[in-house]
Amino acid sequence: MGNHLPSGAAMVRFCHKLNRVKTLEDDLMETSLKRCLSTVDLTLLGVGGMVGSGLYVLTGTVAKEIAGPAVILSYLIAGFASLLAAFCYAEFGARVPKTGSAYMFTYVSVGEIWAFLIGWNVILEYMIGGAAVARAWSGYLDSMFDHKIKNYTETHIGSWNVPFLAHYPDFLAAGILLIATALISFGAKVSSWLNHIFAGISMAIILFILIFGFILAEPKNWGNEYGGFVPYGFSGVMSGTATCFYAFVGFDVIAASTEEARNPQKAVPIATAVSLGLATAIYVLVSAVLTLMVPWNSLVPDSALSDAFYRRGYSWAGFIVAAGSICAMNTVLLSNLFSLPRIAYAMAEDGLFFQFFAKVNPTTKVPIIGIVVFGILMAFLSLIFDLEALVQFLSIGTLLAYTFVAASIIVLRFQQDKTEQSHPEDQEPKPQPLDIRAAGERIVGEEMKEYESFSDKLQLVETQKKAKERRETGHLKAVFEPYLKFLSDFYPGEVVTIAVVLMMVFSICLCSILVFGTTHLHLPTWCFYLLLVIFLIGFLVSLFFIWVHEQQKKIATFEVPLVPLIPATSILLNVYLMLKLNYMTWIRFMVWLALGLIVYFGYGIWHSKENLHDSKSHGVTARYVVFPSSSMEETVQQIQPNTQDSMGRAEIIDDETQNR
């Protein structure tokens, strides 16, 4: 029975496969897609992806059921947390101008299985997002015609009462998704121009809502008569924040489009910052208008803005708002259908997802099969599922992606790049003997110190080499060397990776105590604060161990400021918001995660293109032989397995002895 168990070496190789990182090409700008998008195109794609059903549907839902007028604070906090994540996305998008968004960023820095799971969740996020927007689009259009479409469908086709399913099949939502799928398939430039048109109309109507809405504002709607500004307390604000993350999902469409940007190093950071700033301002101002126009507890969640104008006696304004909502939702539909096939394309290109998703149309330069397949799947979801059941699932995938991208930034910053990782044998194929005496004289320079023995000379070289290496990326900073000597024995970046994992563990523990300590866990007060202090200290110590190591040198592209502080803050906030989500959301998420693991271990791990790199590099290493004379000679030899290895080493030593 023991013979059937995997050996230790096999387990090590298996773990290496799971955590291998993507090997990037030398020319990152080379692509089979068409680079045709400008900074303005990317910015409007980002705004269009964020300002849609979140504005016209989610605002009313959160205000009435979760946070009240304090939905303004929920949007501010969600926008701030998204900004921290956006910094990380912007740096990665500028550094690695490849499509794939969070999937690609995780693959190049953390590991393969984590990248696949992130990509798998992003796929679900976009599918559900597109279906939810289509349902909201249909509901708003139906409200403009006094719900005649809904009544006709229920009367002539039928309805059902099944949990998580809609009360009736929404053919209008499915139809608009199929039409959008057809339009997206014409190419990136066509999609961009359509987005420009709808975004322009949407922004004009939002400006109308703000001006006319503030004219109709009544401050008494925030008064004590209706429970005040924060009727659900701080807990309601934070629960609202977790749900409001859905509003900012769309900014990663910019990162997903980097492979089609003309100048991604410049365009991606600018477009990300501008679009997120605009979206946050719009959400905050419209939330203020909505809750000042009518009492928050009387809002109609499905069509809150248009209904608010109807109730104030301006039915014509309500009609304009409904038209604007449809234009805004069109931009979100285009954004989702634009991004999703490109995520699948990136995964298929790497061999982790089914290969036919990597097929690019030679004329339009878009992944046509992915567009058609996912467009049909979105249409099916919008046909039968309820909007509320769809929206609840969205935030967890987004928050998880944000968390991994933030962790990836920390790992990447403390990893050595290719130039630092290169070995002498890579740079000089024909090594020359190194004269220790000459080297010693060059090193000491002005001191002109003499070293009598070979061991003294070799020790000098090693000392100078170590002093230099400590200041390379991933090494302990020289100033902390006397106090943290035990960290000097690790490989460059190894301590940082361990510290990032520990920091995430402490974040989960800390946030679990904050969220569940006094409610579900019923901890005594002293125990609650003791655990908070312990886990907070653990989090800060992990952060300190990251900070005491050298980062990569400054690069020309955008960089996240205050690393590792900003990514660590993003991780902590994202974990807290994830734990605030409904337990049913977690159950659905775990089911989807299990399906993803089946796909990965059944297909992805065996077809990964990194298998080719592993097989090419297998068995290649170097040997250095030092002889006690006035020179140090270097010999490079490919290592053969088992007995051939020892024979090879014996031949090397024998040859060197004869040469002497």
Side-chain angles (χ1 to χ4, degrees):
M1 180 177 176
N3 294 332
H4 296 286
L5 294 175
S7 64
M11 290 300 296
V12 169
R13 286 195 298 271
F14 179 70
C15 291
H16 168 71
K17 279 189 173 185
L18 296 182
N19 291 284
R20 58 194 170 191
V21 296
K22 179 179 173 63
T23 304
L24 294 172
E25 302 86 355
D26 291 330
D27 185 7
L28 293 175
M29 295 296 287
E30 184 180 348
T31 176
S32 58
L33 303 177
K34 186 178 180 181
R35 290 195 179 275
C36 58
L37 301 179
S38 66
T39 304
V40 174
D41 294 331
L42 291 176
T43 302
L44 289 177
L45 272 175
V47 173
M50 286 182 278
V51 181
S53 59
L55 185 68
Y56 293 95
V57 177
L58 194 65
T59 303
T61 302
V62 175
K64 182 175 183 179
E65 300 175 1
I66 302 176
V71 64
I72 296 171
L73 300 179
S74 296
Y75 274 125
L76 276 174
I77 298 170
F80 174 73
S82 296
L83 180 64
L84 298 180
F87 279 141
C88 302
Y89 273 79
E91 176 171 336
F92 263 121
R95 279 190 177 212
V96 188
K98 291 290 183 182
T99 193
S101 188
Y103 155 77
M104 180 62 68
F105 306 156
T106 306
Y107 202 176
V108 299
S109 55
V110 178
E112 184 172 285
I113 187 171
W114 312 108
F116 176 85
L117 292 176
I118 291 296
W120 183 250
N121 282 301
V122 169
I123 286 174
L124 179 66
E125 169 195 314
Y126 277 121
M127 278 201 301
I128 290 179
V133 171
R135 294 284 307 194
W137 185 96
S138 171
Y140 255 85
L141 186 65
D142 195 24
S143 69
M144 293 172 66
F145 296 99
D146 199 24
H147 302 289
K148 291 180 180 179
I149 300 172
K150 174 186 175 182
N151 295 334
Y152 181 87
T153 305
E154 289 181 337
T155 303
H156 294 83
I157 297 176
S159 60
W160 54 71
N161 291 312
V162 180
F164 308 118
L165 296 184
H167 296 298
Y168 64 96
D170 196 336
F171 292 102
L172 186 60
I176 188 60
L177 274 168
L178 293 177
I179 293 172
T181 299
L183 294 172
I184 287 289
S185 64
F186 284 107
K189 203 61 185 174
V190 174
S191 305
S192 177
W193 277 109
L194 283 171
N195 182 73
H196 285 191
I197 294 169
F198 289 125
I201 298 172
S202 175
M203 295 296 283
I205 294 177
I206 288 170
L207 191 61
F208 164 78
I209 291 171
L210 294 177
I211 294 172
F212 197 30
F214 276 118
I215 292 173
L216 299 176
E218 295 181 353
K220 68 177 184 179
N221 291 326
W222 285 2
N224 294 330
E225 180 183 352
Y226 299 103
F229 183 73
V230 191
Y232 293 99
F234 178 75
S235 178
V237 172
M238 296 311 295
S239 295
T241 299
T243 306
C244 286
F245 252 85
Y246 167 63
F248 300 99
V249 167
F251 82 80
D252 63 352
V253 65
I254 298 170
S257 310
T258 51
E259 200 163 332
E260 290 159 286
R262 293 176 194 158
N263 184 9
Q265 286 79 12
K266 177 183 177 183
V268 170
I270 294 174
T272 302
V274 173
S275 62
L276 190 61
L278 280 173
T280 304
I282 288 170
Y283 275 111
V284 169
L285 292 173
V286 170
S287 299
V289 164
L290 179 62
T291 53
L292 283 170
M293 282 179 63
V294 294
W296 61 268
N297 53 8
S298 64
L299 292 172
V300 178
D302 291 339
S303 53
L305 276 169
S306 59
D307 184 71
F309 282 103
Y310 279 124
R311 289 167 56 188
R312 294 299 300 270
Y314 298 93
S315 56
W316 58 271
F319 187 84
I320 292 174
V321 171
S325 71
I326 290 173
C327 288
M329 292 178 202
N330 282 339
T331 64
V332 181
L333 281 179
L334 292 172
S335 172
N336 278 272
L337 280 168
F338 186 87
S339 302
L340 175 52
R342 284 156 177 81
I343 304 292
Y345 162 81
M347 296 174 70
E349 271 281 287
D350 294 330
L352 300 184
F353 206 41
F354 306 113
Q355 193 61 37
F356 58 82
F357 285 116
K359 183 175 177 58
V360 175
N361 185 286
T363 305
T364 59
K365 299 293 184 182
V366 294
I368 187 67
I369 294 178
I371 291 173
V372 173
V373 169
F374 288 113
I376 293 172
L377 284 174
M378 277 189 196
F380 175 75
L381 288 175
S382 67
L383 182 68
I384 64 171
F385 281 99
D386 183 32
L387 175 63
E388 185 179 353
L390 291 172
V391 170
Q392 284 181 357
F393 200 86
L394 272 175
S395 292
I396 191 168
T398 306
L399 290 166
L400 188 68
Y402 288 176
T403 302
F404 268 85
V405 170
S408 299
I409 279 290
I410 299 175
V411 172
L412 182 69
R413 281 289 192 93
F414 293 89
Q415 274 183 352
Q416 292 185 333
D417 57 25
K418 290 182 179 180
T419 57
E420 290 176 306
Q421 290 175 345
S422 60
H423 298 289
E425 61 269 25
D426 298 327
Q427 300 172 2
E428 300 179 15
K430 296 180 181 180
Q432 300 295 325
L434 174 64
D435 188 342
I436 295 292
R437 186 183 304 276
E441 290 176 355
R442 283 197 302 270
I443 291 169
V444 296
E446 298 175 357
E447 295 179 6
M448 299 298 293
K449 183 177 179 181
E450 290 187 7
Y451 291 85
E452 299 295 331
S453 66
F454 171 81
S455 60
D456 287 337
K457 298 172 186 176
L458 190 60
Q459 184 178 4
L460 173 65
V461 174
E462 291 297 320
T463 302
Q464 295 295 329
K465 182 180 177 183
K466 287 181 180 178
K468 181 181 177 182
E469 285 179 347
R470 288 189 201 109
R471 290 163 181 80
E472 292 178 352
T473 303
H475 286 78
L476 187 65
K477 292 178 180 177
V479 67
F480 293 103
E481 175 71 17
Y483 313 104
L484 300 171
K485 285 186 178 181
F486 64 95
L487 297 179
S488 302
D489 297 331
F490 291 89
Y491 294 110
E494 187 178 6
V495 174
V496 172
T497 303
I498 296 170
V500 168
V501 174
L502 290 175
M503 185 174 67
M504 294 182 74
V505 171
F506 283 121
S507 297
I508 294 171
C509 295
L510 179 63
C511 294
S512 298
I513 297 299
L514 283 172
V515 175
F516 306 116
T518 56
T519 55
H520 297 75
L521 298 178
H522 303 292
L523 295 175
T525 304
W526 67 268
C527 185
F528 175 80
Y529 285 108
L530 177 63
L531 291 175
L532 275 185
V533 170
I534 291 173
F535 294 136
L536 181 60
I537 290 173
F539 178 84
L540 294 175
V541 168
S542 302
L543 192 62
F544 173 76
F545 280 130
I546 296 170
W547 178 70
V548 298
H549 289 79
E550 295 286 357
Q551 295 187 37
Q552 290 180 357
K553 295 179 180 178
K554 294 288 184 181
I555 56 175
T557 58
F558 174 80
E559 286 187 320
V560 180
L562 301 177
V563 172
L565 181 61
I566 284 181
T569 306
S570 179
I571 290 171
L572 190 63
L573 191 53
N574 295 336
V575 170
Y576 178 83
L577 294 175
M578 275 193 282
L579 294 177
K580 292 289 288 184
L581 294 172
N582 189 287
Y583 76 96
M584 283 302 298
T585 302
W586 279 95
I587 292 174
R588 296 176 197 136
F589 171 72
M590 296 307 294
V591 171
W592 180 252
L593 214 59
L595 291 174
L597 290 173
I598 292 172
V599 173
Y600 176 73
F601 288 110
Y603 180 89
I605 194 172
W606 309 109
H607 294 82
S608 171
K609 287 188 177 179
E610 291 305 312
N611 280 328
L612 300 176
H613 295 290
D614 288 346
S615 60
K616 286 180 182 178
S617 61
H618 181 67
V620 179
T621 187
R623 295 291 188 200
Y624 297 90
V625 183
V626 181
F627 294 95
S629 64
S630 61
S631 66
M632 179 167 64
E633 297 177 21
E634 176 185 343
T635 305
V636 180
Q637 177 76 14
Q638 179 166 333
I639 301 304
Q640 304 297 329
N642 301 332
T643 56
Q644 294 180 1
D645 181 31
S646 58
M647 292 174 62
R649 284 184 301 216
E651 291 172 1
I652 295 171
I653 296 173
D654 185 60
D655 290 344
E656 295 294 345
T657 306
Q658 292 177 5
N659 291 336
R660 291 175 58 213

